[in-house]
Each structure stands twice: as structure tokens, then as C-alpha cells.
């Protein structure tokens, strides 16, 4: 279809999206790079044809994130949000990027703290747009747990479980957050449920 209608922004976006997904799935680094490079060409073509194409910027950002080009990922996510401000997935992806920047030590201590706060704000925005967005709640809970805010982590994981009560990882995370907060009595039932659903999970 792209050959037939090379100046269709929508076709270039969807072709670029599918190529990029193939890159996500590839395990061979050279194959992964090849799919990403081809996908980026068509995503960029979609943007050239339609400069306010928020979804295309968002997918470019995700590809740059996967290839650890964090500054380009940040720019693409910001552009995506500029043109499509109510995309919960992009806000969540942006939060994950900010948290990665904080963990990898890009910038000084103050910048790391700013990145953590930016990540929290991005996750909060994602779930405010879509309160049923499980990935957003899970990401928020993971961030809060890793920064020692177990009360906030418990709340986030509990919100995610409302919509996917039989997800073993969510049960495991919630149980773990309770344990880390010192409340094993509350956490143990979630851990036991997680083990029943996924027996190979690490035991606590």
C-alpha cells in the first residue's frame, strides 16, 4: 500500500509501526537495528507529511528508548504530547524514560531527583487520563516501591489489581510492597495468590 500511495501519512505511520514492532521482537541485534531503521524512515515520512502526527512521534520515541537514545526519545515523547496531550500510554512511557534517566545517573543528584519527580508526574497524568490503565498504575507502583514510598506503591498496585485481579505479577508486587512496608500479614495472601498463578516466581 505504501508503494501505491507513498504520500499517505497514515500508511507510512502504520507501516513504520509494524516494522518497529518487528524490531521489538527481534533478538538478533543486527536484525533489530534493521527493522528499527526501516521503521523510523516511514515514521519520519509520516511526520514530514503530517507534522502534528502525535502517534508517529510517540512510536519514534519508543524506538529511541529501546535503543537507549534517551535524549531523542525525550524530544519525540514531548512532541507527541504536544500534539496529542491525552494519550495515556505516551505519558506512561515518558515516565519510564524519566525514571531510566534517574537510574542511569544522567545528570547530577538534583537532576536525578527532578527526573524521579517528573516520572511520578507523568504516571499520575497517565492514570488521570485513563483510570483503568493498568500499565500506568503498575509503573507508578514500581517507581514508588523502588524509591521507598511503600504506602504509595501499595495504593498504585491495588488500583491496578482492580482491573486485573488475577495478574500474578501485580499480586506479587502488591504482596512485596506490603512486606517491605513491614506488614507481612496483609502481604502474604497476595504473594500466595501470585505463587498459585505463577509457581516460578521468586519466593519471599
Amino acid at each position: 500500500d505504501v508503494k501505491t500511495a507513498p504520500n499517505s501519512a497514515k500508511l507510512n505511520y502504520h507501516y513504520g509501526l509494524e516494522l518497529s514492532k518487528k524490531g521489538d521482537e527481534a533478538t538478533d541485534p543486527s536484525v533489530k537495528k534493521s527493522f528499527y531503521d526501516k521503521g523510523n524512515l516511514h515514521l519520519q515520512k509520516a511526520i514530514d507529511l503530517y507534522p502534528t502526527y502525535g502517534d508517529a512521534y510517540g512510536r519514534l520515541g519508543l524506538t529511541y528508548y529501546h535503543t537507549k537514545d534517551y535524549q531523542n526519545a525525550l524530544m519525540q515523547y514531548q512532541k507527541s504530547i504536544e500534539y496529542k496531550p491525552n494519550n495515556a500510554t505516551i505519558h506512561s512511557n515518558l515516565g519510564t524514560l524519566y525514571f531510566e534517566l534517574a537510574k542511569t545517573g544522567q545528570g547530577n543528584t538534583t537532576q536525578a531527583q527532578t527526573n524521579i519527580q517528573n516520572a511520578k508526574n507523568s504516571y499520575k497524568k497517565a492514570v488521570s487520563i485513563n483510570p483503568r490503565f493498568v500499565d500506568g498504575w503498575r509503573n507508578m507502583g514500581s517507581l514508588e516501591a523502588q524509591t521507598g514510598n511503600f504506602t504509595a506503591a501499595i495504593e498504585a498496585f491495588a488500583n491496578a489489581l482492580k482491573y486485573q485481579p488475577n495478574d500474578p505479577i501485580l499480586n506479587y508486587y502488591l504482596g512485596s510492597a506490603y512486606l517491605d512496608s513491614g506488614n507481612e500479614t496483609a502481604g502474604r495472601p497476595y504473594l500466595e495468590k501470585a505463587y498459585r498463578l505463577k509457581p516460578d516466581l521468586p519466593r519471599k
Side-chain angles (χ1 to χ4, degrees):
D1 288 341
V2 168
K3 291 179 181 178
T4 304
N7 292 321
S8 167
K10 189 170 185 178
L11 283 177
N12 275 282
Y13 164 70
H14 283 287
Y15 187 37
L17 176 63
E18 294 307 316
L19 287 167
S20 298
K21 287 179 179 178
K22 290 289 187 183
D24 294 344
E25 297 166 0
T27 55
D28 184 289
S30 62
V31 174
K32 182 182 288 288
K33 183 178 185 303
S34 177
F35 276 122
Y36 279 154
D37 288 347
K38 291 175 184 176
N40 284 358
L41 285 174
H42 288 280
L43 292 168
Q44 188 60 55
K45 178 70 178 292
I47 290 169
D48 292 341
L49 292 164
Y50 183 33
T52 62
Y53 208 151
D55 289 336
Y57 286 109
R59 179 58 232 199
L60 268 179
L62 186 58
T63 298
Y64 283 128
Y65 173 79
H66 285 321
T67 56
K68 301 187 184 302
D69 186 349
Y70 294 142
Q71 293 308 313
N72 266 324
L74 180 61
M75 288 189 291
Q76 299 299 330
Y77 284 152
Q78 289 172 336
K79 277 287 188 182
S80 179
I81 288 169
E82 178 183 349
Y83 298 123
K84 197 171 183 179
N86 292 323
N87 187 325
T89 299
I90 298 302
H91 283 283
S92 183
N93 288 349
L94 179 59
T96 300
L97 172 59
Y98 277 128
F99 192 31
E100 193 66 31
L101 290 172
K103 289 192 296 182
T104 55
Q106 296 195 23
N108 54 32
T109 302
T110 301
Q111 185 60 51
Q113 292 172 342
T114 299
N115 283 331
I116 287 173
Q117 189 57 53
N118 286 339
K120 290 182 180 182
N121 291 341
S122 296
Y123 291 142
K124 287 177 182 176
K125 181 66 175 178
V127 296
S128 71
I129 293 169
N130 180 6
R132 300 176 65 89
F133 186 31
V134 171
D135 282 349
W137 286 117
R138 178 170 42 232
N139 289 339
M140 182 189 296
S142 297
L143 170 58
E144 297 289 6
Q146 290 182 58
T147 54
N149 299 314
F150 298 116
T151 300
I154 289 166
E155 181 181 357
F157 291 139
N159 277 319
L161 272 176
K162 290 178 186 177
Y163 308 111
Q164 289 187 7
N166 292 319
D167 185 302
I169 303 302
L170 286 174
N171 278 279
Y172 186 77
Y173 284 173
L174 180 54
S176 298
Y178 271 119
L179 258 66
D180 291 338
S181 73
N183 190 348
E184 182 170 359
T185 300
R188 187 56 58 185
Y190 292 103
L191 288 172
E192 294 305 322
K193 182 175 182 178
Y195 298 142
R196 289 195 300 273
L197 293 166
K198 188 173 173 59
D200 61 341
L201 284 168
R203 296 282 162 167
K204 291 193 173 186

